[in-house]
Amino acid sequence: ERKVHILMSFLTLIIVVIGAFANVFIGMNYWVTLLTFLSLFAILAFYLLSRSDSFYRQSILPLSISSVAILSLVWFFNCGYDGNLIGLFYVLFVGTYTISKERHRFFVFLMFITAFISLIVIHYYFPEWIFPYETREQRFVDLVVGNLNYFFFLFMIIRIIIKYYTGENKKVAETNTALVRKNQEIAENIEKLRETEKKLIHAKEK
């Protein structure tokens, strides 16, 4: 959980940094660029908290809430459903759900699905609220950069989870082997006790 949390915060930070400079490079709307740079400071704060022994547990839920809030704002300035934020919604949900406490997981699921459905409904009924891409090149660059980031993000999270479960399975196998060995020792000791008991009975009879 700790590793996934640090990784998620770090990769989100990288995604926002790349996104911020990509927005400058392709000449995105001023408000889009400003919002991306502002969100950079929020994600940086959560990354530093994730590395702290004292606060990493307490920062998980605020991180997920702020991520949804930031994504919801960026949705309007980044072409909504036609932009590249759908992938980020999925990736952040997977990461946040993985590291959340058991009692918070339903809330995290509900928060992400409610935000996502609400944004789609708003986009459908109030398309004028959404800032479109100004050029075809802007959309192409944004989608390519976003999807590459999300692919790498998912790859790293899945890799950590698989490595963790592989390590746990190895520990379980080692524990089982140790238990089998202990059981054999106990069986041998019981057999020795029986032999000793037989000798004692024989000695008593003598």
Side-chain angles (χ1 to χ4, degrees), residues 10-186:
F10 177 73
L11 289 181
T12 304
L13 186 64
I14 296 299
I15 287 172
V16 174
V17 168
I18 293 171
F21 285 102
N23 286 343
V24 173
F25 176 74
I26 62 180
M28 287 291 281
N29 181 285
Y30 168 78
W31 292 106
V32 178
T33 308
L34 179 63
L35 186 62
T36 311
F37 275 102
L38 287 175
S39 64
L40 180 61
F41 292 104
I43 300 301
L44 178 61
F46 282 114
Y47 171 65
L48 295 174
L49 285 172
S50 72
R51 298 187 64 86
S52 164
D53 291 333
S54 308
F55 295 105
Y56 98 93
R57 267 291 186 187
Q58 290 83 344
S59 66
I60 294 172
L61 199 58
L63 173 63
S64 62
I65 293 170
S66 61
S67 298
V68 170
I70 291 169
L71 278 177
S72 300
L73 281 173
V74 174
W75 178 276
F76 292 98
F77 294 103
N78 205 32
C79 208
Y81 191 80
D82 299 321
N84 69 5
L85 289 184
I86 298 169
L88 188 53
F89 258 103
Y90 298 154
V91 167
L92 282 181
F93 168 70
V94 169
T96 307
Y97 190 85
T98 303
I99 63 176
S100 294
K101 294 178 183 177
E102 189 69 36
R103 65 176 182 272
H104 293 154
R105 283 180 177 166
F106 180 71
F107 171 76
V108 169
F109 169 77
L110 200 62
M111 179 175 60
F112 270 89
I113 196 71
T114 302
F116 187 64
I117 291 172
S118 301
L119 290 168
I120 290 174
V121 169
I122 290 169
H123 192 156
Y124 184 80
Y125 287 103
F126 304 99
E128 65 277 9
W129 293 5
I130 308 295
F131 285 73
Y133 291 108
E134 294 174 7
T135 64
R136 181 174 170 272
E137 288 75 17
Q138 281 185 350
R139 182 174 188 273
F140 179 78
V141 171
D142 203 35
L143 289 175
V144 168
V145 171
N147 287 321
L148 283 174
N149 279 324
Y150 309 151
F151 177 80
F152 182 68
F153 201 159
L154 273 176
F155 167 73
M156 292 301 291
I157 289 176
I158 291 169
R159 189 168 175 270
I160 283 180
I161 292 170
I162 289 173
K163 190 176 179 182
Y164 167 75
Y165 281 112
T166 302
E168 287 299 304
N169 287 337
K170 189 177 177 182
K171 285 179 186 175
V172 169
E174 288 171 354
T175 305
N176 285 338
T177 304
L179 285 172
V180 168
R181 197 177 298 117
K182 279 285 180 189
N183 285 337
Q184 286 174 347
E185 288 175 9
I186 290 168

